[in-house]
Amino acid sequence: MLNKIVLSMASLRITSGMIEICAALIMLRLNQIDKALLVNSSLALVGPLILIATTTIGLVGLSDKLSFGKLAWIAAGIACLFIGILKK
């Protein structure tokens, strides 16, 4: 039997992948650079949201097994990832 938390995380990633594939097909169909760039920019919103949701589900699943200190280190690592991604 699959763990519900793992199934939820995998479902989010599969959904994210399907969104990426659909966006690529839309870009090919539009066949214009400016419209393809607009579609690509919309993906910039989807990726981080999926990352946050998947990580949150995983941390909720592990919260009873991890100490507060370890959860703080994980949160600090995620914060560093977002600072690195969003910093211009």
Side-chain angles (χ1 to χ4, degrees):
M1 178 105 181
L2 287 174
N3 186 328
K4 290 179 184 178
I5 292 173
V6 174
L7 183 61
S8 298
M9 293 172 70
S11 297
L12 278 172
R13 284 296 171 189
I14 290 170
T15 303
S16 175
M18 289 190 318
I19 291 170
E20 295 272 345
I21 290 170
C22 288
L25 293 173
I26 290 169
M27 285 182 203
L28 289 172
R29 178 157 172 104
L30 293 173
N31 198 27
Q32 294 178 6
I33 296 171
D34 56 339
K35 291 181 181 178
L37 189 59
L38 182 65
V39 171
N40 189 58
S41 298
S42 65
L43 289 176
L45 295 173
V46 175
L49 292 176
I50 297 292
L51 173 66
I52 290 169
T54 305
T55 304
T56 301
I57 291 170
L59 287 176
V60 167
L62 285 178
S63 63
D64 60 336
K65 298 176 185 172
L66 295 176
S67 68
F68 179 74
K70 287 184 180 180
L71 285 174
W73 277 110
I74 292 170
I78 293 169
C80 288
L81 277 171
F82 280 107
I83 290 169
I85 292 169
L86 299 175
K87 187 113 178 168
K88 293 182 180 184

